Amino acid sequence: MTTRFGAIKLPINRLHIELTNICNFSCEFCPDSIMKRTRGMMPAVTARAIIDEASNTGIFNFVIFHVMGEPTLHPELTDLAEYARYKNVDVCITTNGSRMDIDSFRALQEAGVRQIIISLQTPDKETFFMRGAGGLAFDDYADGISAIAKASINDAYATKLTISFLSSPLRRLIIPVAKELSIADTSAKLSGYLKLWAERILKGSRLESRLPDVLKHIERSKSYKENRITVTNKLSFQTRILGDWRKPPGKKIVRARFGYCHGIQENLGILYNGDYVFCCTDYDGRTSTGNFNDMSITDYLLSDDVQKTVRGFRRFRVVDPYCQVCIGDRSYLNTFVKQIGSILYFKIFKRYQKP
């Protein structure tokens, strides 16, 4: 098998397929409210064709159904997961969990989904208001996720379940656009949330005896890093830092000229309308220079625009206008710090961090 596409090393870790950019939540920390793209659903025939190419080329480690939107809103989600299994493509699904009950969870397990990530993010009533969940009460939401987690413990399926939490350390520096977004500012707060959820899920389950060990593991969690806590062999907690992936409209940004991002070396996205994006945080499709309906994934990866961007990052140069804004900031000093920070984070911190 080919080991490189030009400047891109293979395999690419994940292919994001956006089945829909429609969401039933309106989270304050998500750019959904400022996204200018039209809303829609990816035709199942397109999704199957993408899965076919992923299967035939073998250049991705796995497929994840998510860029923007809530994938459980797609009426053929389970069928597409089954098709991916038939084509020997591992599938991961990221969902807010609000539309998933035990029956739909087990249907996805039976379809052979490798991993389901529930973006809990805001773990209590005080922070749940940030989700813009309409009339859904936090207690009902939490009870539903807890029931799914307990089912994961008891079921014989191989599907792994990850419950994802957010932390917001140094939020005035990391997310100056929304300084008021406070979820778990300190390691103590983050550990407290994780302990409450570990007790909620494990107490009364057949693996309740694991609780003391899980609580000890949680004690080592830090709000300023990614953490992964193994609850059972199929259930884990994951924490990540709330980042600034939405730039304020109308604000002047000092563009980055140097820096680093593993971007397309790590992931590739295909939006619901077929547009390619080489950044999984590109919510408006600004990095799109091609469409799956017009060119294959292989041709896109070998295209001049993609290759130039990847070669630039290999020399710590930021050449794509979207990337220049993403790594840039509102002042020359902040942009300089972010440029240096991007290199340190992706080249050193990210590599040696063991969540």
Side-chain angles (χ1 to χ4, degrees), residues 51-207:
I51 292 168
D52 285 341
E53 187 168 350
S55 175
N56 293 337
T57 61
I59 61 174
F60 300 101
N61 287 332
F62 65 96
V63 162
I64 180 168
F65 288 151
H66 188 253
V67 176
M68 292 289 287
E70 171 52 44
T72 61
L73 290 169
H74 197 285
E76 297 188 64
L77 171 63
T78 303
D79 290 341
L80 291 172
E82 288 179 342
Y83 185 75
R85 179 182 61 179
Y86 169 71
K87 301 295 287 188
N88 294 314
V89 173
D90 284 337
V91 164
C92 172
I93 295 171
T94 296
T95 171
N96 60 38
S98 64
R99 304 184 73 255
M100 188 176 293
D101 56 21
I102 292 178
D103 288 341
S104 58
F105 175 63
R106 285 181 174 148
L108 291 172
Q109 289 178 310
E110 291 173 358
V113 172
R114 162 183 159 178
Q115 182 183 20
I116 296 173
I117 301 173
I118 296 181
S119 296
L120 174 66
Q121 315 298 34
T122 53
D124 64 2
K125 290 181 180 180
E126 285 67 34
T127 55
F128 186 65
F129 78 91
M130 299 181 194
R131 305 304 298 275
L136 179 61
F138 173 76
D139 287 339
D140 293 335
Y141 178 59
D143 287 346
I145 293 175
S146 299
I148 290 169
K150 289 179 182 291
S152 174
I153 292 173
N154 294 321
D155 288 346
Y157 300 103
T159 303
K160 293 187 180 297
L161 176 67
T162 299
I163 300 178
S164 180
F165 300 77
L166 285 174
S167 64
S168 56
L170 302 174
R171 66 184 186 277
R172 292 179 182 274
L173 294 176
I174 297 175
I175 46 171
V177 176
K179 303 181 182 68
E180 73 283 358
L181 295 183
S182 173
I183 298 176
D185 294 345
T186 66
S187 298
K189 285 183 179 179
L190 181 62
S191 295
Y193 287 140
L194 296 173
K195 287 178 180 178
L196 286 174
W197 274 87
E199 291 170 351
R200 176 193 288 268
I201 292 168
L202 286 178
K203 281 188 174 179
S205 76
R206 65 182 182 86
L207 295 180

Side-chain angles (χ1 to χ4, degrees), residues 7 257-261 307-319 343 347:
R257 297 302 173 187
F258 71 91
Y260 186 78
C261 178
Q307 291 291 316
K308 182 171 68 173
T309 298
V310 176
R311 285 195 300 268
F313 278 128
R314 290 180 65 183
R315 300 191 301 270
F316 301 108
R317 296 178 183 175
V318 187
V319 298
I343 297 171
K347 283 296 189 180

